[in-house]
Amino acid sequence: MTVPGIDHPRLVAWMARNVPDAGEPLSVSLISGGRSNLTYLVEAAERRLVLRRPPLGHVLPTAHDMRREWRVISALAPTPVPVPEPVAFCSDEDVIGAPFYLMGHVPGDAVRTRDQLGDPAPEQTRRLSERLAEVLAAIHAVDYREVGLGDFGRPAGYMARQLDRWCQQWERSKTEDRPDYYRLVERLRERLPAEASGTLVHGDYRLDNTLVRRDDLEIMAVVDWEMSTLGDPLADLGLTLTYWADRGDEERASIPVSGDVTATPGFLNAAEFANYYTKVSGREISDLGFYVAFGNFKLAVIVEGIHARFRQGKTVGEGFDRIGAAVPTLISRAHRMLDQH
């Protein structure tokens, strides 16, 4: 069989040596791919596994570091944070052309849209949104030193480094000069919060980076840890709220990222979600407006990069012709958050 990114005979031989209890891999199929790491379902004789590897043709390995993802799910496996079971890591690029790891298959789906969710009762969707906050609080409550992640990042100066990083990304991908963008950067720099106590942060926490079991809407695992590090936990919360689509927020609905699942009847709205996170985490939320503004800034930079690739003819799929319009909207929303808070 031929699957892009997989050398099946070499994978069979490697698994025979390193994961003998799984049995021979009978089939491998791509679950998801794109700009992020590639995810495959491995149907082995004795169990189902999932394989993660970097994108094809990627030339900056540090941006899609398999060992980093492997390390964090291995560290979190014995904690209350739900993650897939870590099974085996391979650093030998001769096997499939890149480092990769295997994890246990999790019975659940990444849910982005209301249609995917089906027609659950409002109390079920409310509980799902509460669980999303509880799991985020659990991530931030992990004693990262105790689980072996003491050198996983540098909490001090995290927000200042994030601002610099995303400013650099903007300059690399901008399609036009936007005075409102540069004014936003100035305002964010002026409002940088005092140093927070560092925690493990996911870096891209939202519902569709979890796997949800359909029958009871339980969060079975948090996935896509490639941007995880040690930093300010409120940056995670701010980005989650940036992706949140409240019912009736037509402006937010016009931004084509992360779907509309949080607008399903029963879901907590963004303010309720933030309050519930405060309750279950016991964490003081100061200057939340800054963190949500920063989330909108970060997402504006990401969308500008996608728009730039579309203009260069480097994207595949539908809808990319409209995504550029979201950039000024996100910048405007960031300014509004700073004005209101």
Side-chain angles (χ1 to χ4, degrees):
M1 68 184 69
T2 301
V3 180
I6 299 293
D7 185 317
H8 193 82
R10 287 180 180 269
L11 179 63
V12 169
W14 183 86
M15 286 183 61
R17 296 191 303 271
N18 294 277
V19 199
D21 61 327
E24 181 178 345
L26 305 175
S27 68
V28 181
S29 56
L30 183 67
I31 298 174
S32 66
R35 292 178 302 276
S36 187
N37 294 326
L38 305 181
T39 307
Y40 302 83
L41 175 63
V42 180
E43 296 274 10
E46 300 300 326
R47 62 181 303 195
R48 306 175 93 191
L49 299 170
V50 171
L51 184 151
R52 288 270 283 175
R53 61 149 292 158
L56 302 179
H58 192 72
V59 294
L60 295 173
T62 55
H64 297 271
D65 189 344
M66 291 296 95
R67 189 178 293 278
R68 188 174 191 81
E69 280 197 21
W70 167 257
R71 184 179 174 193
V72 73
I73 68 166
S74 297
L76 292 176
T79 75
V81 179
V83 292
E85 174 200 355
V87 174
F89 177 81
C90 177
S91 60
D92 184 357
E93 296 188 15
D94 289 339
V95 178
I96 65 168
F100 68 92
Y101 67 90
L102 291 171
M103 55 187 175
H105 178 264
V106 175
D109 299 295
V111 179
R112 289 175 54 86
T113 68
R114 295 175 62 168
D115 289 343
Q116 286 178 290
L117 204 58
D119 189 27
E123 55 267 26
Q124 285 183 289
T125 51
R126 179 181 180 85
R127 183 61 194 138
L128 174 58
S129 51
E130 290 176 344
R131 280 295 292 148
L132 193 68
E134 290 167 5
V135 172
L136 182 60
I139 293 170
H140 297 158
V142 168
D143 185 332
Y144 59 83
R145 296 182 183 89
E146 183 68 24
V147 299
L149 296 176
D151 61 346
F152 198 60
R154 294 178 294 146
Y158 172 75
M159 291 308 301
R161 288 196 308 276
Q162 282 283 294
L163 182 57
D164 289 342
R165 171 187 174 181
W166 291 103
C167 284
Q168 292 165 9
Q169 184 64 31
W170 174 272
E171 294 302 324
R172 284 195 292 266
S173 60
K174 67 179 180 180
T175 60
E176 61 181 282
D177 282 322
R178 294 186 180 276
D180 54 344
Y181 163 82
Y182 292 105
R183 176 60 186 144
L184 175 59
V185 171
E186 291 175 7
R187 297 184 73 186
L188 290 172
R189 201 172 297 281
E190 290 166 0
R191 284 270 293 268
L192 279 171
E195 290 295 326
S197 57
T199 70
L200 178 67
V201 294
H202 180 276
D204 195 20
Y205 189 79
R206 56 186 197 262
L207 186 61
D208 55 321
N209 275 338
T210 72
L211 299 176
V212 177
R213 188 167 57 197
R214 287 305 183 91
D215 56 356
D216 58 359
L217 300 188
E218 176 58 50
I219 293 176
M220 302 301 295
V222 181
V223 294
D224 288 2
W225 290 90
E226 62 191 87
M227 298 183 75
S228 60
T229 188
L230 305 182
D232 187 335
L234 295 187
D236 263 351
L237 178 60
L239 189 62
T240 302
L241 295 174
T242 296
Y243 282 113
W244 208 269
D246 277 345
R247 292 181 294 280
D249 186 348
E250 296 302 323
E251 182 185 65
R252 178 62 188 79
S254 73
I255 302 171
V257 293
S258 196
D260 62 353
V261 65
T262 58
T264 305
F267 260 83
L268 300 175
N269 64 33
E272 291 168 337
F273 182 85
N275 289 336
Y276 190 75
Y277 170 85
T278 302
K279 174 184 175 181
V280 296
S281 69
R283 191 174 301 281
E284 177 68 28
I285 295 181
S286 57
D287 204 6
L288 181 59
F290 167 85
Y291 291 98
V292 178
F294 192 94
N296 278 275
F297 154 76
K298 177 178 173 179
L299 189 54
V301 176
I302 292 170
V303 171
E304 179 73 357
I306 298 169
H307 177 55
R309 287 191 291 275
F310 166 74
R311 288 178 50 158
Q312 295 162 5
K314 295 181 178 178
T315 54
V316 178
E318 298 181 356
F320 291 109
D321 56 328
R322 301 186 299 274
I323 200 165
V327 175
T329 304
L330 287 161
I331 293 172
S332 174
R333 287 172 74 88
H335 277 292
R336 201 154 61 241
M337 289 304 303
L338 294 175
D339 291 340
Q340 294 171 357
H341 300 273

